[in-house]
Amino acid sequence: MSRIQNTFAALRESGRKALIPFLTAGDPTAEFTVPCMHAMVAAGADIIELGIPFSDPMADGPVIQRASERALAHKMSLRKTLALVEAFRRTDTVTPVVLMGYLNPIESLGYRTFVERAREVGVDGALTVDLPPEESGELLPLMLEAGLDPIFLLAPNSGPERVQEMSDLGRGYLYYVSLKGVTGASNLDLDDVERRIRAIKEISSLPVGVGFGVKNAEMAGTIARFADAVVVGSALVSQIEAFQDSPDQAQAQIVDILRAMREAMDASAARDA
Amino acid sequence: MTLIKDSGRVSGPYNLPDERGHFGPYGGIFVAETLMEPLTELRAAYERYRTDPDFIAELDHDLKHYVGRPSPVYHAARLSREVGGAQIYLKREDLNHTGAHKVNNTVGQALLARRMNKPRIIAETGAGQHGVATATVAARLGLKCIVYMGAVDVERQSLNVYRMKLLGAEVVPVESGSRTLKDALNEALRDWVTHVDDTFYIIGTVAGPHPYPAMVRDFQSVIGREAKQQMRELTGRLPDALVACVGGGSNAIGLFHPFIDDGEVAMYGVEAAGDGIETGRHSAPLSAGRPGVLHGNRTYLMEDEDGEIIETHSISAGLDYPGVGPEHAWLKDSGRATYVGITDAQAMEGFHTLTLTEGIIPALESSHAVAYAIQLAATMRPDQQILVNLSGRGDKDINTIATREGIRL
Ligand SMILES: Cc1ncc(COP(=O)(O)O)c(C=O)c1O
């Protein structure tokens, strides 16, 4: 079983849902990332999505765009992102790490080098925003062979056939993009999200996470009632932006937000049980 | 590979892209999931209307009566004599309404938008020519129009910004990344993802995800179809060589495409070599880049060793783009077309030469093609012919040129 499967199995056992924070590697500095990942785990994170900075993050809103810009300003890269995962793994061999980013840095490194290196350093999965299943014929088999879980995005306008296709091709979990828009948008309709998640779960047996626009503990608690995982990105990254000059403060804010989300999610799970 | 490289001829009639938008390894659809459905919808609509007699009739009517087509082919006899080599002919896209080839495409896509009942139009623009051409057709059809433009370009192309506003468009300065054309494209894609239900995205060049590279090419191919017939009428045969500047590549592919199966016609795409390819300050991905994925397709890109897109440089804002249409990537690899570079300084020289010998003031983009045609003509015989795509007129560039030459207007 993969680390991601193990994580979801253990959560199911204890009747809880996965909390998945996102941060961009190297934002605001390379030194910030690994300690922050550990702090996230201590605050209740089950899986970590680590963003690979890219010069042209066309699916991201301003908050995560600027995170990429801050990281690129000091030459963070895919290679260095992999080195950060390697450092994280020295003391945490349990928490799954999923890389999230755009295809070009991966193409530039080379698909084979990427999957080999990712496996070596202990990456568990990868979510490539601009690589739909149609174009993934070359990368996907290499990932599966290396035991890297391909995580696919589903959108509000993905029809049932596409859900089926992603479910067949994907591993680990499916990531439902909760709205038509970019990361960090603010017009979430949770009733609609719930209907969609239930429809996806009719088709797929993979765990389903919800992300894009999860802002606070209350929303996380609501989503945990019907989804298997809650992904939170911009709400955390905006703290890094606000406290760029005091990394300890940024980390403390992130920990507070995650603790509150954890609590709300566990409370709503307990209520349903 | 289905192309025979050394002869430069396609085996069998050229019919790319395939149904998924691939030109060999290039092109395709590399977008976030939310855009898959609108792209499918667009593909279906385009497939339906491209052969629909009413659509074609309306498009032809608008190209004739609104754009002013066919644009003439002009024998630049004095320029040719000065150069002393091949005869240079100009396809006068600069005489179109709005002053460039861009309008051929916006007229077509706007008709499609109306048939798809999309009341809101978005576009990206660099120099502002595509933005103006989009705002123009939106005004005519009564569609709401939002144009994304890098903040740096808003600054240096203020005349076109004002033109767009006069035409009723909203111009949104883009502050992210390098604040130029590529960032405007990112922002337009973000807008589209957020408003997929009521919005039509009019991309201005042969880039983006399938079907854009094929669709924009088809709308621009009117250039090559007319030129083929006009050259036959004027000279009794096809030209020996075609020359066009390449930013994203729409005016070049528009000229080249109808000639791809005519193996005796050489094709030259001219990229912006900026300060010189060797300086790294240029916009010449085909000459000095490598394949990668950006803005929805795989093509040659200007990127660093980590796969991050790097800043480009050209005196001409319309060529200042780190990618290039995927079909050009394929034509390069197959050997069917040749891609060369012209520096800022050489383009300026071409600009002045054409202006003084023929009384035609070309756009800075087109000046790159003119400059290369002059070099090429000098190596050919007087009984040979070169057809240059004069993609636009130079009025928009007068300030840039004056400033560069130290003149205050
Ligand atoms: C006159 C003119 N020519 C050429 C270009 C470059 O675009 P493309 O390579 O798509 O023809 C532009 C773009 O703004 C332009 O305005």
Side-chain angles (χ1 to χ4, degrees):
Chain A
M1 279 222 292
S2 75
R3 257 193 293 254
I4 297 178
Q5 276 177 314
N6 277 333
T7 300
F8 278 105
L11 285 164
R12 237 186 331 268
E13 196 94 331
S14 61
R16 296 158 76 232
K17 301 302 178 65
L19 175 57
I20 309 183
F22 167 94
L23 83 168
T24 298
D27 171 31
T29 62
E31 292 69 41
F32 180 80
T33 303
V34 174
C36 187
M37 289 166 76
H38 289 306
M40 285 171 155
V41 174
D46 300 292
I47 296 173
I48 291 177
E49 283 186 3
L50 188 59
I52 306 164
F54 184 48
S55 52
D56 295 81
M58 63 189 186
D60 284 297
V63 170
I64 293 179
Q65 287 171 41
R66 288 194 295 264
S68 256
E69 287 177 19
R70 284 192 295 274
L72 290 174
H74 56 81
K75 291 260 158 216
M76 182 47 60
S77 64
L78 174 53
R79 268 177 210 284
K80 291 182 192 165
T81 301
L82 290 163
L84 291 177
V85 178
E86 193 166 35
F88 174 77
R89 277 278 171 261
R90 278 186 207 124
T91 47
D92 186 333
T93 55
V94 203
T95 310
V97 175
V98 171
L99 295 182
M100 180 163 184
Y102 295 82
L103 186 59
N104 200 52
I106 296 175
E107 284 224 355
S108 174
L109 187 61
Y111 287 173
R112 201 168 278 282
T113 312
F114 168 69
V115 295
E116 282 167 8
R117 193 71 191 114
R119 178 181 47 190
E120 238 168 61
V121 302
V123 171
D124 298 283
L127 194 169
T128 317
V129 178
D130 54 350
L131 185 67
E134 285 82 348
E135 299 286 356
S136 67
E138 212 181 313
L139 182 56
L140 216 61
L142 291 173
M143 286 183 64
L144 294 175
E145 199 183 305
L148 279 184
D149 288 342
I151 316 278
F152 283 105
L153 291 174
L154 287 170
N157 54 3
S158 309
E161 322 76 52
R162 283 193 78 76
V163 175
Q164 185 67 60
E165 188 180 7
M166 313 276 195
S167 176
D168 293 344
L169 293 174
R171 298 282 186 278
Y173 58 100
L174 291 169
Y175 183 141
Y176 178 72
V177 173
S178 55
L179 47 85
K180 293 178 188 168
V182 292
T183 51
S186 59
N187 42 347
L188 252 194
D189 173 353
L190 287 181
D191 290 335
D192 182 58
V193 174
E194 175 168 4
R195 271 192 302 279
R196 304 271 180 181
I197 296 297
R198 296 204 188 283
I200 292 168
K201 290 176 94 40
E202 295 275 308
I203 297 172
S204 179
S205 57
L206 282 175
V208 185
V210 172
F212 278 44
V214 181
K215 293 228 172 329
N216 52 41
E218 193 192 337
M219 287 171 87
T222 308
I223 292 166
R225 285 217 295 272
F226 51 81
D228 303 297
V230 175
V231 187
V232 54
S234 296
L236 305 179
V237 174
S238 59
Q239 298 303 316
I240 298 179
E241 175 153 53
F243 298 99
Q244 286 173 57
D245 302 324
S246 49
D248 293 346
Q249 182 75 19
Q251 186 177 306
Q253 298 283 339
I254 287 172
V255 163
D256 282 352
I257 295 172
L258 289 178
R259 281 219 178 96
M261 288 185 164
R262 177 82 270 166
E263 214 167 285
M265 289 166 64
D266 291 350
S268 72
R271 221 174 17 250
D272 286 0
Chain B
M1 291 259 236
T2 53
L3 292 186
I4 301 161
K5 192 160 180 158
D6 48 5
S7 73
R9 265 204 85 112
V10 180
S11 55
Y14 182 83
N15 62 356
L16 295 179
D18 67 16
E19 70 284 356
R20 284 212 190 142
H22 294 123
F23 303 88
Y26 303 109
I29 305 181
F30 294 87
V31 295
E33 175 63 15
T34 316
L35 288 180
M36 294 304 285
E37 189 212 46
L39 283 168
T40 304
E41 187 190 349
L42 175 61
R43 224 156 43 235
Y46 180 57
E47 280 311 313
R48 171 172 165 207
Y49 289 115
R50 61 183 292 196
T51 53
D52 174 69
D54 288 343
F55 182 84
I56 295 170
E58 189 174 356
L59 179 61
D60 286 348
H61 179 274
D62 284 359
L63 288 176
K64 180 170 179 202
H65 297 281
Y66 189 67
V67 175
R69 304 204 69 88
S71 68
V73 165
Y74 168 73
H75 181 203
R78 182 154 180 253
L79 173 65
S80 306
R81 261 200 312 281
E82 297 257 314
V83 175
Q87 302 307 306
I88 297 173
Y89 291 81
L90 306 175
K91 177 64 173 163
R92 299 288 309 274
E93 293 299 301
D94 60 314
L95 295 178
N96 293 338
H97 180 42
T98 71
H101 69 292
K102 295 284 181 190
V103 71
N104 300 328
N105 168 47
T106 58
V107 162
Q109 288 199 52
L111 290 184
L112 202 53
R114 208 177 48 181
R115 277 174 172 69
M116 291 173 73
N117 293 315
K118 306 280 186 187
R120 184 174 175 273
I121 299 286
I122 58 172
E124 85 295 338
T125 198
Q129 285 306 105
H130 173 60
V132 167
T134 304
T136 298
V137 296
R140 175 166 176 257
L141 298 181
L143 302 169
K144 184 175 167 63
C145 178
I146 292 125
V147 180
Y148 291 94
M149 189 168 186
V152 170
D153 292 330
V154 168
E155 195 75 15
R156 63 180 174 182
Q157 305 285 331
S158 53
L159 189 67
N160 271 343
V161 172
Y162 187 54
R163 280 170 88 191
M164 288 184 266
K165 287 182 177 165
L166 287 174
L167 289 159
E170 181 189 339
V171 179
V172 181
V174 177
E175 298 285 355
S176 57
S178 60
R179 301 150 81 227
T180 59
L181 176 56
K182 78 173 177 73
D183 310 285
L185 226 149
N186 290 331
E187 205 56 34
L189 286 166
R190 291 180 191 121
D191 177 309
W192 199 25
V193 143
T194 311
H195 302 99
V196 283
D197 296 328
D198 70 343
T199 297
F200 190 106
Y201 179 14
I202 300 189
I203 295 187
T205 190
V206 282
H210 182 60
Y212 283 101
M215 178 172 70
V216 175
R217 172 199 71 196
D218 291 348
F219 286 135
Q220 290 293 2
S221 290
V222 66
I223 301 172
R225 282 197 308 273
E226 286 175 7
K228 212 167 175 174
Q229 194 187 342
Q230 289 165 318
M231 286 303 283
R232 281 205 176 102
E233 281 165 16
L234 270 170
T235 72
R237 64 183 182 89
L238 297 183
D240 299 286
L242 307 175
V243 178
C245 67
V246 177
S250 68
N251 87 88
I253 212 74
L255 178 64
F256 293 176
H257 188 254
F259 290 90
I260 289 181
D261 286 333
D262 301 299
E264 70 278 19
V265 180
M267 309 195 298
Y268 297 92
V270 186
E271 294 190 298
D275 291 344
I277 300 282
E278 69 289 351
T279 66
R281 285 176 48 77
H282 58 80
S283 303
L286 289 168
S287 307
R290 61 194 170 99
V293 170
L294 179 70
H295 294 151
N297 68 89
R298 183 179 284 119
T299 187
Y300 280 81
L301 298 175
M302 307 232 333
E303 55 181 307
D304 68 13
E305 66 284 1
D306 295 321
E308 307 295 343
I309 307 307
I310 56 181
E311 285 193 35
T312 53
H313 170 81
S314 169
I315 187 176
S316 114
L319 302 183
D320 218 342
Y321 180 64
V324 61
E327 192 161 13
H328 287 292
W330 171 244
L331 291 174
K332 172 193 157 79
D333 282 11
S334 68
R336 179 63 188 92
T338 304
Y339 295 87
V340 297
I342 282 289
T343 63
D344 289 354
Q346 291 169 323
M348 286 293 298
E349 211 176 301
F351 171 90
H352 285 301
T353 306
L354 184 66
T355 302
L356 287 173
T357 57
E358 296 290 351
I360 295 172
I361 301 181
L364 277 174
E365 291 81 9
S366 324
S367 300
H368 288 71
V370 170
Y372 183 71
I374 291 172
Q375 285 182 10
L376 182 65
T379 69
M380 293 166 68
R381 298 186 314 268
D383 65 328
Q384 292 183 299
Q385 306 166 356
I386 298 173
L387 177 62
V388 180
N389 198 2
L390 202 72
S391 56
R393 64 173 189 234
D395 309 41
K396 70 180 173 64
D397 296 316
I398 297 299
N399 276 321
T400 307
I401 288 158
T403 307
R404 186 180 166 99
E405 301 189 335
I407 295 160
R408 277 196 53 165
L409 298 179

